[in-house]
Amino acid sequence: MNDREANSPATKLGDMFRAVEAEMQVELSKARVGLSHMGNRGGRVEDAARKALRDVLPRQFDVGHGEVFDRYGDTSKQMDIVVTTLDHPFTHPGHQAMPYMLDGVAAVGEVKTKLTTDELPDCIAKGLSFKRLRRAVGKDDVVLNHSEEYLVETQLLPPFFVLALENDVAIDTLLKRMNDAPLAPVQPTKLFFKEDTPQHALDAICILGRGLMWNLRSGIGPVQLRRGGEPPLTGWQWIDTDAPLSWMLHLMHIAIPQIQRRHSPLIHYPV
């Protein structure tokens, strides 16, 4: 690598996220040595993951954990990671599991010490519980970074990701399982969307030190990947990289809906 390449923004960004991944791997090793109970070990790894994300995400985001609810009375399962935006009306203490308002959430995630074929259905079930929720979108709200077609495809729901420190599932098996995974039906809000599109449970699977799986859906979204001059790729795709966290946060930042609101989303939530 020459000096110009070493000083490029892409190289520096990749180096920064590789350092974060290395720190998380150290936390995993500490958890394994210091704790024998699986639940406690998982909790320590989840704390480390939240701290790492909190340290690297832009300041307009905060990171916590807990359930997510919508204005229609539906609630998700417990989420290991909840990334909130400035639209969320308050900040929770990072160490306490608390409820979160969907319309102040940018993304949610599940943390796995080791992803296995037994653990994958749990991730999918949690993703389905989240993707059943419905946005409260005002008629004057404007989505700045999604096409109308992609809004219908995603129902404007935030992305759900899995962050695995280790993986015990063959990549081909993982791709097949995700392509065959059930979809979550989403009822129309009657405020914004004209049709009801069943939702994919997961949007990304990040395996530290190995790579990233990303769900490109029909290929019309803000995240598009191509091979050469070919049309955009569709469906689940595997990205082989030693900096998967860098890739995931980069793509998440592109994919997270950017909503320009005329009023606070709190007006949709009865008190």
Side-chain angles (χ1 to χ4, degrees), residues 12 14 62 78 110 131 158 167 187 200 209 228 234 249 269:
K12 290 186 176 182
D62 196 14
Q78 179 97 351
E110 176 73 2
K131 292 302 181 78
N167 176 48
Q187 298 180 18
H200 295 265
T234 61
L249 293 180
Y269 287 76

Side-chain angles (χ1 to χ4, degrees), residues 7-270:
N7 291 319
S8 72
T11 300
K12 290 186 176 182
L13 189 63
D15 288 344
M16 181 178 70
F17 283 111
R18 275 188 286 269
V20 171
E21 291 181 18
E23 291 177 6
M24 294 178 70
Q25 294 285 13
V26 169
E27 287 300 315
L28 171 61
S29 298
K30 290 179 180 178
R32 282 178 167 169
V33 171
L35 299 169
S36 59
H37 188 271
M38 179 59 75
N40 287 340
R41 184 164 69 239
R44 183 165 178 173
V45 172
E46 292 159 14
D47 288 341
R50 286 190 288 268
K51 180 181 183 303
L53 291 175
R54 198 176 293 117
D55 287 346
V56 298
L57 286 174
R59 294 304 178 194
Q60 69 263 35
F61 298 114
D62 196 14
V63 182
H65 63 297
E67 298 175 340
V68 181
F69 64 94
D70 65 15
R71 66 150 292 182
Y72 303 96
D74 291 323
T75 304
S76 74
K77 293 179 179 290
Q78 179 97 351
M79 302 294 160
D80 292 339
I81 295 174
V82 180
V83 181
T84 58
T85 71
L86 295 176
D87 280 327
H88 206 271
F90 38 77
T91 300
H92 292 311
H95 61 282
Q96 295 181 7
M98 301 292 287
Y100 290 88
M101 181 184 75
L102 174 64
D103 290 279
V105 170
V108 296
E110 176 73 2
V111 179
K112 293 297 181 186
T113 305
K114 178 181 285 188
L115 185 61
T116 67
T117 53
D118 291 333
E119 294 282 357
L120 187 59
D122 177 64
C123 298
I124 293 173
K126 290 183 177 179
L128 290 174
S129 78
F130 178 71
K131 292 302 181 78
R132 287 188 301 104
L133 304 181
R134 290 160 289 166
R135 285 274 200 185
V137 184
K139 63 180 181 179
D140 295 323
D141 293 347
V142 178
V143 183
L144 302 176
N145 62 330
H146 290 182
S147 67
E148 185 173 346
E149 294 81 8
Y150 193 68
L151 289 177
V152 172
E153 190 171 68
T154 63
Q155 300 287 293
L156 197 55
L157 288 169
F160 183 101
F161 63 90
V162 173
L163 180 61
L165 277 74
E166 292 183 0
N167 176 48
D168 199 34
V169 186
I171 300 304
D172 288 344
T173 300
L174 202 53
L175 286 167
K176 185 177 188 308
R177 289 286 186 93
M178 293 316 305
N179 282 319
D180 294 342
L183 303 179
V186 180
Q187 298 180 18
T189 65
K190 299 181 181 179
L191 289 174
F192 198 80
F193 304 109
K194 297 180 180 179
E195 40 186 300
D196 171 20
T197 305
Q199 292 300 297
H200 295 265
L202 306 183
D203 295 282
I205 300 176
C206 178
I207 303 171
L208 296 187
R210 285 285 310 279
L212 174 70
M213 275 181 56
W214 188 270
N215 186 3
L216 294 167
R217 299 174 181 258
S218 64
I220 63 173
V223 174
Q224 296 191 357
L225 300 178
R226 290 179 169 85
R227 293 192 180 100
E230 297 180 4
L233 297 172
T234 61
W236 281 95
Q237 298 291 331
W238 172 255
I239 302 169
D240 195 11
T241 173
D242 63 349
L245 185 60
S246 174
W247 266 91
M248 186 180 77
L249 293 180
H250 174 74
L251 297 183
M252 283 280 183
H253 203 270
I254 296 173
I256 289 172
Q258 298 178 17
I259 306 174
Q260 182 176 302
R261 300 182 185 272
R262 185 171 182 178
H263 303 286
S264 165
L266 276 175
I267 67 172
H268 302 293
Y269 287 76

